[in-house]
Amino acid sequence: DLFPISPDLSTIDTMKIRVSTRTTGGITNDATGAETYCTIVSLNESPIRAGILFAGTDDGRVWLTKNDGGTWEDLTSRFAGVPAGTYVTRIEPSPHDSLTFFVTFDNHRNGDYKPYVFMTADFGKTFKSISANLPTGGPDYVHVIRQDPVNKSLLFLGTDVGAYVSANKGESWQRFMTGLPTVPVHDLRIHPRDHELIAATHGRGIWIADIAALQQINDKVLAEDIHLFAPPTAYQFGDSPVEGQSQGHQVFAAPSPPYGAVITYRLATRQPQVRIAILDAAGDTMQTLNGPGAPGINRVAWPFAGKPAPRPPLGAVQKRDSALQMNRITFVLDSLDKAGANPMMTGMARQLVRTGDLTPIMAIFQGRGGSPGFGPPPPWNPRPGEQATGGGGRGGAAPGAAAPPAAGQPGAPPTAPAASAAAMDPSAFQQLAPLFQIPGRPSSGGFGFEFMQTLGFGNAGFAAFGGGGPGVATGDYVAVLSAGGKTLRQKVRVERAGGGLPGMLP
């Protein structure tokens, strides 16, 4: 007999071993799975030293081998407070040293929903619980733990109700769920190049968070009143239009990070004014941004806008034509208001004329996932089940969200003036584009160009839209933060990604 079976084993055990060794090549058949235990459900190798392997099973056992599986050491008895037979969900070897690794357990199958998280720094001789202040009382059991490859004190945790972060190696935790719904987080990955945390959820989605600033957090940073983090490389890019195929009557678009170079800073206390100036290599100011002054980590995006080109003074005829054009714009907008046009549309057009602020219109175009110069699909009259609702994108509500009551019904959403900009159809602004065409000059054919040329934006306006060409050249710039009487500087690297949108610029 090539595979002798011990006479001490029961008939059921004997059959399991025979099936796994002779029929399936070592794999235990799942079947219903309820009666199958001793299955390895977590297997990992040390990224520091090859041959060090860790294994966890569905009956609560944790094993360690230092010689590629030649011999195994059972560590199961060293986890204080973990009930026997508790499912091992993840073993995470440290990317910083071979003596440290983390283990998480899940006992919800036995009605125990507590988070079990452990760490060892002596190769498994002893373990300490790092559950600390993780919540209990709900479905708080843990699926995954990850240690950041840059900052060894930075840990991330995925539970059945979301994600958590610790900046002190598990001594304390806090929720890390801005933009993430309450969903099970089954796996986590940290991108080594892009400095992003990637979460795989049971909510049919992938959630990505920029953690470049968190990777730079340490005791020195936390002790400072104001700190300006080193920004990651910023990329100029353009999203090309569709390839000609039909996209249907609605397009789903998930919220994306802001276009541009993200400047991140931390404030220990509230500041009345925060200014960020972007300088080029010659020390000339490209753009000055106002940042939030709230305590904590704040962000501002520089959309690669360069210094506005000098404009020659207007002649007498140009001043006359400019005044006539502004009167015409005001007259048309007044007429549209009287005719019952969408007040949000006309209000944004007035704001654009008055201040040159493109932010509200940018939100509409970026919310669709489209690019300036390309029209939306033809108008669509949806049936009741196809009504677009608020949420993450243009194709429906967020998972689990109920449709709002119809207009006029109790609890109905606010009317157009207070509605979200994401609910606006960009075609409305395309209808207004001819108003902003420079008199006596043919249109360039791309919506937004005449808007910005008339108001003196030029290429910087296209940079603000995030779809056309860059407002500045690639290269190194300097972000200068001024707040609380202090001035801090960090280099900003700008690079080009892809080919952008040819033909969008003059």
Side-chain angles (χ1 to χ4, degrees), residues 179 181 203-207 239-240 242 246-256 363-371 376-377 386-401 422 426:
R204 300 183 179 181
I206 298 293
W207 180 76
D239 293 329
S240 59
V242 297
S246 171
Q247 295 294 298
H249 68 282
Q250 288 182 338
V251 178
F252 176 82
S256 296
I364 292 174
F365 275 83
Q366 292 175 345
R368 273 196 71 89
S371 300
E386 299 171 328
Q387 296 285 350
T389 60
R394 294 266 312 177

Side-chain angles (χ1 to χ4, degrees), residues 138-418:
D140 301 301
Y141 49 94
V142 178
H143 293 295
V144 59
I145 185 172
R146 296 291 180 200
Q147 185 179 29
D148 186 81
V150 177
N151 185 343
K152 65 181 180 181
S153 296
L154 188 61
L155 302 178
F156 297 95
L157 204 67
T159 75
D160 208 56
V161 288
Y164 292 83
V165 63
S166 172
N168 49 22
K169 204 176 285 189
E171 293 182 13
S172 62
W173 297 87
Q174 65 184 75
R175 286 169 62 89
F176 191 62
M177 296 181 63
T178 301
L180 176 68
T182 302
V183 291
V185 175
H186 282 178
D187 205 357
L188 294 169
R189 284 290 186 271
I190 299 171
H191 200 292
R193 180 196 65 201
D194 295 339
H195 306 284
E196 293 175 335
L197 177 70
I198 306 168
T201 78
H202 199 59
R204 300 183 179 181
I206 298 293
W207 180 76
I208 302 175
D210 179 1
I211 60 170
L214 295 182
Q215 291 179 329
Q216 301 173 49
I217 289 285
N218 54 38
D219 292 340
K220 180 177 180 296
V221 171
L222 295 175
E224 295 175 351
D225 294 335
I226 301 172
H227 184 82
L228 179 61
F229 295 98
T233 300
Y235 291 94
Q236 299 172 338
F237 62 90
D239 293 329
S240 59
V242 297
E243 299 172 352
Q245 70 271 25
S246 171
Q247 295 294 298
H249 68 282
Q250 288 182 338
V251 178
F252 176 82
S256 296
Y259 178 79
V262 177
I263 313 300
T264 307
Y265 56 94
R266 180 183 179 274
L267 303 176
T269 58
R270 180 174 297 278
Q271 297 295 326
Q273 187 178 60
V274 177
R275 291 286 183 88
I276 300 98
I278 307 297
L279 311 182
D280 65 5
D284 293 334
T285 301
M286 298 290 99
Q287 189 176 13
T288 300
L289 308 168
N290 292 319
I297 294 178
N298 298 278
R299 287 177 173 171
V300 171
W302 169 49
F304 307 125
K307 185 166 58 175
R311 305 187 71 191
L314 296 177
V317 175
Q318 291 173 316
K319 290 181 180 179
R320 179 202 64 192
D321 291 343
S322 178
L324 290 174
Q325 185 180 15
M326 295 305 296
N327 289 337
R328 174 172 172 260
I329 292 173
T330 302
F331 176 81
V332 172
L333 294 178
D334 289 343
S335 299
L336 289 173
D337 285 337
K338 291 179 182 178
N342 191 318
M344 181 185 291
M345 175 189 70
T346 56
M348 288 183 179
R350 292 181 194 277
Q351 179 179 351
L352 177 61
V353 172
R354 185 175 63 255
T355 66
D357 183 10
L358 293 164
T359 304
I361 302 177
M362 288 160 48
I364 292 174
F365 275 83
Q366 292 175 345
R368 273 196 71 89
S371 300
F374 298 91
W380 176 264
N381 184 21
R383 292 170 292 190
E386 299 171 328
Q387 296 285 350
T389 60
R394 294 266 312 177
Q409 299 296 320
T415 54

Side-chain angles (χ1 to χ4, degrees), residues 81-101:
V82 179
T86 300
Y87 194 105
V88 179
T89 53
R90 200 63 54 108
I91 302 178
E92 166 78 348
S94 171
H96 298 277
D97 68 87
S98 59
L99 298 180
T100 300
F101 61 95

